[in-house]
Amino acid sequence: MSGSKCVRLTGALVKQVLDSVDSVLFDCDGVIWRGDQAVPGAAQVINLLKEKGKKVFFVTNNSSKTRKMYVDKMTTLGFHVKEEEVFGTAYCSAVYLKTVCKLQGKVYLIGSNAMQQELEAVGIQPLGMGPDHISGKQADWANVPLDPEVKAVVVGFDEHFSYMKLNRAMQYLSQEGCLFVGTNRDTRLPLEGGKAVPGTGCLLQAVETAAQHRAQTVGKPNNFMFDCVASQFGVNPDHCLMVGDRLDTDIMLGSNCGLKTLLTLTGVSTVADAEDHQKSGSAERQGMVPDYYVESIADLLPALQG
């Protein structure tokens, strides 16, 4: 590939890049695991980075797990990880509402039990979890009972998403001053075997369309995800590497925040995708071109073991 970006990370260059950073951010699914299986060699890479004094963090747009649930999964797969190193959108949304929005009130939540737990952990009371079945006529829907203490609508992944949830969110957002926050805009969740299911972005777009109002998102590629890590751990963007499998979220986050970026080919995006962005001539698409790429993060092992 032409230009100095999207260089294959191999040989002596691996050590050179790793020596230039003191912090590494990893996306999870498609990078360190796929489904319920660790990417071969990934646990060794993470554990060796830590042994060599690097700060390691995990940043994921998945809002269906709490930090503790992630730690439990990673530990089972052989990763040495602490709860404070995990930054999922369930946790980051709660932090955003508490610290940035300084929310005084309840949240109408389209989301998971994990999001409920993370909100409650920072002292915010969520409403709306679980199924919300429809009844009555359209006039009843438009006048659905609302809790006057709800001051924000938050949209994450919700397997119980329904017309009535969409309607209730719209009614809350029609009230003056109601905040609107989404965890992320990922429209598809890739599964093993090339399959996929609709992602949070689909639900968020539905609510945005109904409310005629755009949400503030906290997940990648929004800077808040990195700011969350940096503010708690003093991470210097000049000495930080972002490792991910998606150009539009992981690599764009790194570009937005001035980090070095590494694409791994064990997940969604390909080198051909990156090449298309680089050739496009679009300034925005240049942000989706990684500095480096590897077949798998296991390609970092020789430099770490040497």
Side-chain angles (χ1 to χ4, degrees):
M1 185 182 288
S2 62
S4 60
K5 294 195 83 176
C6 213
V7 174
R8 180 156 189 170
L9 195 58
T10 185
L13 187 58
V14 182
K15 186 176 188 307
Q16 188 180 319
V17 170
L18 291 178
D19 284 349
S20 73
V21 301
D22 51 33
S23 304
V24 188
L25 272 58
F26 287 94
D27 175 47
C28 294
D29 199 12
V31 177
I32 63 171
W33 67 62
R34 296 179 65 172
D36 292 321
Q37 301 293 318
V39 167
Q44 284 174 279
V45 168
I46 302 296
N47 299 341
L48 282 169
L49 281 168
K50 289 186 163 195
E51 280 179 32
K52 293 185 179 299
K54 306 291 185 190
K55 295 177 186 171
V56 177
F57 304 100
F58 305 91
V59 289
T60 170
N61 275 357
N62 188 328
S63 64
S64 65
K65 289 183 173 68
T66 61
R67 302 176 103 184
K68 184 182 184 305
M69 290 162 74
Y70 272 110
V71 170
D72 291 345
K73 175 172 182 169
M74 289 189 211
T75 302
T76 301
L77 294 176
F79 297 92
H80 301 157
V81 58
K82 298 173 185 170
E83 205 167 310
E84 61 264 27
E85 295 165 340
V86 181
F87 291 80
T89 48
Y91 169 74
C92 288
S93 297
V95 172
Y96 180 79
L97 288 165
K98 193 73 175 176
T99 62
V100 177
C101 303
K102 303 197 183 307
L103 181 71
Q104 299 290 323
K106 299 176 185 176
V107 160
Y108 177 65
L109 175 64
I110 293 176
S112 61
N113 290 336
M115 291 188 71
Q116 175 186 350
Q117 290 173 47
E118 295 288 18
L119 286 165
E120 288 173 346
V122 299
I124 295 173
Q125 184 182 341
L127 309 174
M129 291 72 65
D132 190 356
H133 301 297
I134 203 157
S135 62
K137 300 178 180 177
Q138 288 178 352
D140 301 315
W141 309 341
N143 293 287
V144 70
L146 302 177
D147 187 322
E149 292 182 50
V150 167
K151 302 299 179 189
V153 169
V154 177
V155 180
F157 185 75
D158 189 342
E159 63 191 42
H160 299 295
F161 187 72
S162 64
Y163 182 85
M164 187 47 79
K165 287 196 171 196
L166 176 61
N167 172 63
R168 213 177 286 272
M170 180 183 121
Q171 305 305 333
Y172 276 119
L173 288 166
S174 68
Q175 299 186 322
E176 192 174 346
C178 186
L179 298 168
F180 186 13
V181 175
T183 57
N184 65 88
R185 297 188 179 276
D186 299 6
T187 53
R188 291 162 70 90
L189 298 177
L191 305 174
E192 289 296 284
K195 299 279 191 180
V197 293
T200 301
C202 299
L203 315 187
L204 184 58
Q205 283 182 39
V207 178
E208 287 178 329
T209 303
Q212 298 181 345
H213 180 36
R214 190 167 168 84
Q216 174 64 44
T217 51
V218 301
K220 298 172 290 185
N222 188 293
N223 290 33
F224 183 74
M225 207 81 173
F226 175 73
D227 294 344
C228 224
V229 180
S231 64
Q232 292 184 34
F233 290 93
V235 174
N236 181 344
D238 294 335
H239 302 290
C240 184
L241 175 68
M242 174 70 218
V243 185
D245 70 310
R246 291 182 72 133
L247 299 174
D248 59 340
T249 55
D250 304 321
I251 302 307
M252 185 66 100
L253 171 74
S255 297
N256 286 345
C257 298
L259 319 179
K260 295 178 178 70
T261 54
L262 173 63
L263 173 70
T264 175
L265 303 179
T266 47
V268 174
S269 299
T270 65
V271 173
D273 295 332
E275 192 165 26
D276 287 343
H277 290 312
Q278 191 165 33
K279 289 175 177 172
S280 70
S282 157
E284 183 183 356
R285 290 180 66 183
Q286 296 306 309
M288 291 188 265
V289 181
D291 294 315
Y292 309 101
Y293 74 92
V294 287
E295 289 293 328
S296 157
I297 63 165
D299 292 2
L300 307 180
L301 267 178
L304 290 167
Q305 290 169 331

